[in-house]
Amino acid sequence: MIIEGKILLSNRIVEAGILIENGIIKEIKKSLSGKKLKGLIMPAGIDAHVHLRDFEESHKESIDTGTLAALNGGICLVVDQPNTKPPVESYEIYLKRVREAEKKCWVDYSLNLALTRKNAEKVEEIFERVKKEGYNPRIGEVFLQHESLEVGYEEIAKVKNLPLNIHAEDPEFVLGNEIPNFLYRKRKAEIVAVEKCLKIGKFYFCHISTKEAFEMIKERGGVAEVTPHHLLFSEKDYEKLGNFVNVNPPLRGEEDRKFLLENFSKIDVLASDHAPHLTEEKEEGASGYPGVETMYPVMMGLVFKGVINAFDLAEKIAKNPAKTYGFERYGEIKEGHYANLAAFDISELQKVKLKNLHSKCGWTPYENFPAIFPHSVIVRGEFVKHRGEILDERVGRVYRI
């Protein structure tokens, strides 16, 4: 198969054809002609931080619905987090979940392993067993503040040589989770937690939301993940979001939001932290926003407006997640890589509408945001969405080393 169009390579955009054989990009040449895709052909995204629920919380999301949403938003691979019910804290539960995913995923799938006080003494052994099975986990999202999965800095220090993803909120500065929770989960919680963790090691820090924490990571080492909602929402959006405002870490002030957006080129990984809850759960203060389907389209809307550029977006949403996780042959449009492609037509700028989304949760904070959804998505050389329509065949698979 040959795909032809305007292609974003690592540092340039070229009009060329892509020869695809057995799911792999064999050649990229201007002389190749084939199926023409309108607009800009970008690398399909990797969402390195999603919560697909399932198990005892399948009423609000599942691997089936969550990966279908990812597909529609131009994502080719998701990394599921282990704070499920029950948590993915044992070898047996890990295998149970990936085997479920093998039957349900619309796009490619990877699963992290939990660190809890229950498994802290044997997590390294569990991690090695999982790796021997050919899977590719990191440890975490590791919670310093969580009612049932909280661990301390001492547990982190004991396993600091494992690849850890840290949710950095120090419990001393988390006073509650009432609505709006930005009044109770203090900025200092993140700043102190990042500072303490950086004294232990250089980790992957999830959903960084404050200027000081971001600057510490960039200065001292580690990976800074940032979400679209911390780039686009702030405390002032409580008026619009109402009881749905809660998210962990909370929305911050305009100064933090503007700083992160202005420094988009310096962040390491853009991830959605897709954390769906039903509307009635949100009314009661549940923390989390859905976002796996809207992340790439909304950010492409910012490209359209000139707020960010397409090269930076491709790096944060595809190249860097692949590099950080070691997802071989993912993350870039280049010879020898999988043909994971998403085609965006700038003329198709539209508003996000809940009725067009695929998550079970029944709401989105991005309603009416300008966005460009991909009209075509290719995963490992197979069209999974074309001309705006999702195709019936599931090609997703669990990532294996």
Side-chain angles (χ1 to χ4, degrees):
M1 177 171 69
I2 298 175
I3 299 298
E4 180 187 355
K6 191 177 291 185
I7 306 161
L8 185 142
L9 303 181
S10 60
N11 59 358
R12 59 201 171 103
I13 294 173
V14 300
E15 287 271 4
I18 304 172
L19 174 62
I20 302 167
E21 293 182 2
N22 299 318
I24 303 292
I25 297 172
K26 288 295 183 182
E27 202 171 24
I28 303 172
K29 271 190 178 179
K30 291 186 178 182
S31 58
L32 292 171
S33 60
K35 184 188 285 286
K36 181 85 172 177
L37 293 184
K38 288 178 62 180
L40 181 60
I41 301 172
M42 300 275 288
I46 296 170
D47 195 339
H49 191 153
V50 302
H51 299 267
L52 298 187
R53 307 305 186 193
D54 246 329
F55 286 169
E56 294 175 19
E57 294 186 310
S58 58
H59 64 282
K60 52 180 131 189
E61 195 70 287
S62 67
I63 294 169
D64 179 17
T65 56
T67 57
L68 180 62
L71 182 166
N72 195 54
I75 303 297
C76 68
L77 190 158
V78 297
V79 180
D80 200 5
Q81 304 303 311
N83 61 321
T84 49
K85 290 186 179 179
V88 183
E89 60 184 343
S90 71
Y91 173 76
E92 291 75 19
I93 296 175
Y94 190 97
L95 290 190
K96 179 179 179 181
R97 191 160 181 85
V98 292
R99 285 169 181 162
E100 281 294 306
E102 284 166 356
K103 297 180 284 186
K104 295 179 178 179
C105 55
W106 289 85
V107 299
D108 292 349
Y109 176 94
S110 188
L111 176 65
N112 283 353
L113 176 66
L115 172 64
T116 66
R117 287 207 164 105
K118 182 178 176 181
N119 77 352
E121 296 299 322
K122 52 190 176 181
V123 70
E124 192 165 0
E125 174 192 337
I126 299 167
F127 177 79
E128 291 302 328
R129 287 184 72 189
V130 167
K131 293 281 282 188
K132 282 181 181 178
E133 291 287 339
Y135 300 109
N136 189 50
R138 291 180 65 90
I139 306 297
E141 182 175 357
V142 176
F143 290 93
L144 289 161
Q145 195 288 323
H146 191 289
E147 61 184 30
S148 60
L149 298 175
E150 178 180 313
V151 299
Y153 297 103
E154 61 275 14
E155 280 90 2
I156 290 174
K158 287 176 184 177
V159 295
K160 65 180 181 180
N161 293 323
L162 294 177
L164 300 183
N165 289 13
I166 307 291
H167 179 127
E169 284 188 281
D170 189 283
E172 183 180 350
F173 303 98
V174 178
L175 310 179
N177 203 56
E178 291 81 8
I179 301 170
N181 70 345
F182 56 74
L183 296 178
Y184 306 96
R185 304 180 80 102
K186 302 298 184 179
R187 290 180 80 253
K188 197 171 182 181
E190 177 173 282
I191 297 163
V192 168
V194 167
E195 187 170 24
K196 287 183 178 180
C197 285
L198 284 171
K199 290 177 180 177
I200 299 170
K202 297 175 181 178
F203 304 118
Y204 181 115
F205 291 96
C206 301
H207 41 50
I208 289 301
S209 62
T210 61
K211 177 179 184 287
E212 293 91 332
F214 183 87
E215 289 178 329
M216 275 192 285
I217 296 165
K218 299 310 293 183
E219 179 184 340
R220 303 185 202 176
V223 176
E225 174 196 282
V226 176
T227 69
H229 52 265
H230 287 118
L231 296 171
L232 299 172
F233 294 103
S234 69
E235 293 171 359
K236 71 182 182 65
D237 290 294
Y238 176 38
E239 183 177 344
K240 177 175 70 174
L241 293 168
N243 285 357
F244 287 36
V245 72
N246 280 8
V247 64
N248 298 340
L251 301 182
R252 305 299 185 187
E254 274 289 283
E255 184 180 348
D256 283 315
R257 185 197 70 76
K258 288 178 179 178
F259 171 83
L260 291 174
L261 187 56
E262 288 167 1
N263 286 275
F264 183 78
S265 65
K266 297 179 183 177
I267 75 172
D268 296 306
V269 172
L270 180 75
S272 72
D273 189 13
H274 176 74
H277 299 280
L278 301 185
T279 55
E280 55 266 35
E281 295 167 328
K282 288 297 294 179
E283 287 283 2
E284 295 173 359
S287 291
Y289 296 169
V292 68
E293 187 166 4
T294 50
M295 175 171 65
Y296 212 159
V298 166
M299 299 308 288
M300 283 299 291
L302 295 184
V303 171
F304 174 82
K305 290 184 170 184
V307 177
I308 62 174
N309 70 63
F311 298 105
D312 284 341
L313 178 55
E315 181 181 69
K316 315 310 176 187
I317 206 169
K319 182 179 179 179
N320 286 357
K323 181 180 178 181
T324 299
Y325 271 80
F327 292 132
E328 294 185 5
R329 295 188 169 186
Y330 288 76
E332 292 182 86
I333 302 175
K334 62 187 294 188
E335 293 172 2
H337 276 46
Y338 289 120
N340 292 323
L341 313 170
F344 297 86
D345 186 350
I346 295 296
S347 70
E348 294 179 355
L349 185 72
Q350 60 184 279
K351 291 183 178 180
V352 174
K353 294 295 182 184
L354 175 63
K355 65 182 181 180
N356 298 327
L357 302 180
H358 296 81
S359 173
K360 275 188 180 184
C361 69
W363 80 284
T364 174
Y366 299 101
E367 184 78 9
N368 291 322
F369 268 62
I372 304 167
F373 285 81
H375 60 78
S376 297
V377 181
I378 296 173
V379 175
R380 285 179 286 97
E382 298 285 339
F383 274 96
V384 291
K385 182 180 181 182
H386 191 43
R387 295 175 180 169
E389 297 295 325
I390 293 174
L391 306 183
D392 289 336
E393 186 177 354
R394 298 174 194 238
V395 303
R397 67 186 185 189
V398 175
Y399 179 86
R400 303 295 290 268
I401 299 168

